[in-house]
Amino acid sequence: MSHAAHPTQNTTAPWKELFQSHIDKAGGASAEFVLGTVTTAGLPSLRYCIHRGFWATLPENEHNKLPKNPPIYESDCPTFTTDARMSKVYDIFATGKGKGTLEQSRSGTGGGGPVEAVYWVKDTKTQWRIRGKCWFIAADDIEGGDEAQNSGTVTVKAELGRYMRLKDQSDHSPQEKEWSWKREVENNFENLSPQMRGSFKNPPPGQPLSEGKDEKAGEGLGQKAGHLSDEPLARKNFRVAVITPEQVEVVDLTDPENSTRQIWTLSGEKGGPDGPQPSESLGEWNKIDTWP
Ligand SMILES: Cc1cc2nc3c(=O)[nH]c(=O)nc-3n(C[C@H](O)[C@H](O)[C@H](O)COP(=O)(O)O)c2cc1C
């Protein structure tokens, strides 16, 4: 994997530890957040999603017995799972640099459009906003096979690769070659409940009931599913979504007389938007304290 122009190569993002500790209080890898996308008409579109942890450090799940990737990477990238046929996926493909078509958004790996994810953590009275880009990974084209060199796959591997750090910096070990993107997607699916896995065999989300469903393909509500590798229909629709953060903000409303707002922005040098000035430079990130 290429590690060129790595914005978070050496250190954990300065906001990650606090964010993770707050998210843990809101349910950890089942915390709810609101995801905002921009439609092709330039309008906002929001929906709730479930935080599934951070890319490359999938949470332990006692029901998941699949072989795992060697635990050599970590990232500051929140993940969720979704269905390629949903409108958020098209929004994100269409508003990315590559201006993806509806067909591309349903066919495989890609994305890159802007998103904002917002998390309200009642226990800590903090609101977190994460702005960045969002990428989708499909099991069938992310590695091997004929489609593996499509531009979506190449772009996503490069963009996410920039955010994936080796936990042990001295360890450019042979395990790097063993780390499989496809295995990571399969394990993300396996970490879901059988009912939730079955929802990827639902009839097309948002399509009028009057158009029916493709029973031959196995579409139907309320199904269960097994391993992703044994489920062609679910595999066609299932995506791991990964947010690559560029600006992160926390508002702490614990004490009305001392409410705080902190904003961290990925520096221009690292390909980020640089953020409001004057700021304090913390490695790859610029930090500023503002009135709430
Ligand atoms: C609590 C809650 C959690 C949800 N989690 C997800 C999720 O993780 N991923 C997802 O795609 N949709 C999730 N949904 C459904 C979305 O809110 C939305 O209805 C669906 O994804 C279609 O959205 P879209 O057409 O805007 O893409 C969740 C809904 C609720 C109420």
Side-chain angles (χ1 to χ4, degrees):
M1 169 189 304
S2 161
H3 286 272
H6 208 311
T8 50
Q9 187 167 29
N10 301 313
T11 50
T12 306
W15 47 266
K16 163 115 183 260
E17 207 177 311
L18 189 65
F19 176 61
Q20 178 138 35
S21 73
H22 289 188
I23 285 298
D24 284 348
K25 294 201 173 92
S30 61
E32 291 157 12
F33 68 97
V34 175
L35 177 79
T37 56
V38 182
T39 69
T40 49
L43 297 171
S45 180
L46 315 177
R47 76 286 289 154
Y48 278 93
C49 287
I50 296 186
H51 175 75
R52 301 284 178 190
F54 294 89
W55 174 243
T57 54
L58 194 64
E60 292 263 333
N61 180 326
E62 57 173 331
H63 301 294
N64 178 350
K65 310 273 191 243
L66 289 185
K68 304 288 181 306
N69 272 322
I72 53 174
Y73 291 113
E74 59 183 13
S75 79
D76 310 315
C77 304
T79 64
F80 59 98
T81 63
T82 198
D83 187 309
R85 301 167 297 172
M86 289 175 166
S87 53
K88 70 179 84 53
V89 179
Y90 174 55
D91 288 352
I92 290 167
F93 264 76
T95 57
K97 245 190 204 157
K99 297 203 166 50
T101 62
L102 181 64
E103 194 193 352
Q104 283 167 334
S105 73
R106 294 185 172 176
S107 75
T109 298
V115 293
E116 181 166 303
V118 61
Y119 310 67
W120 164 233
V121 186
K122 273 194 183 139
D123 280 13
T124 54
K125 285 205 170 69
T126 51
Q127 172 182 266
W128 286 86
R129 291 161 104 180
I130 299 194
R131 291 190 188 142
K133 298 190 176 81
C134 186
W135 308 93
F136 299 102
I137 313 173
D140 278 344
D141 69 356
I142 191 65
E143 61 192 21
D146 294 342
E147 292 157 286
Q149 288 314 309
N150 82 44
S151 70
T153 301
V154 173
T155 305
V156 168
K157 281 184 167 169
E159 294 287 340
L160 294 191
R162 296 165 64 200
Y163 280 83
M164 290 162 71
R165 304 181 280 280
L166 281 168
K167 284 186 197 165
D168 179 352
Q169 298 288 325
S170 62
D171 177 26
H172 272 280
S173 69
Q175 284 189 305
E176 267 189 272
K177 288 196 203 84
E178 284 166 38
W179 200 94
S180 151
W181 292 76
K182 186 174 186 176
R183 190 183 297 136
E184 199 67 10
V185 174
E186 289 171 347
N187 271 285
N188 269 272
F189 188 77
E190 197 80 7
N191 260 23
L192 303 175
S193 69
Q195 288 80 5
M196 183 71 216
R197 288 181 225 161
S199 71
F200 296 94
K201 300 190 281 188
N202 280 353
Q207 186 172 291
L209 288 178
S210 58
E211 288 179 22
K213 58 185 174 186
D214 188 346
E215 281 176 61
K216 235 168 133 193
E219 287 177 1
L221 293 177
Q223 303 190 73
K224 291 186 180 174
H227 307 309
L228 194 62
S229 54
D230 302 331
E231 297 279 356
L233 180 56
R235 208 163 61 236
K236 195 162 167 263
N237 300 324
F238 178 70
R239 298 290 182 270
V240 178
V242 185
I243 299 172
T244 47
E246 293 171 1
Q247 187 167 68
V248 176
E249 176 195 285
V250 62
V251 178
D252 187 332
L253 303 171
T254 316
D255 173 2
E257 285 178 33
N258 289 294
S259 296
T260 61
R261 168 154 35 163
Q262 294 163 313
I263 304 168
W264 295 265
T265 310
L266 196 61
S267 73
E269 242 170 64
K270 297 293 171 180
D274 227 20
Q277 303 297 336
S279 66
E280 179 191 355
S281 173
L282 299 168
E284 287 96 357
W285 295 83
N286 297 331
K287 184 188 171 213
I288 182 167
D289 293 287
T290 72
W291 296 111

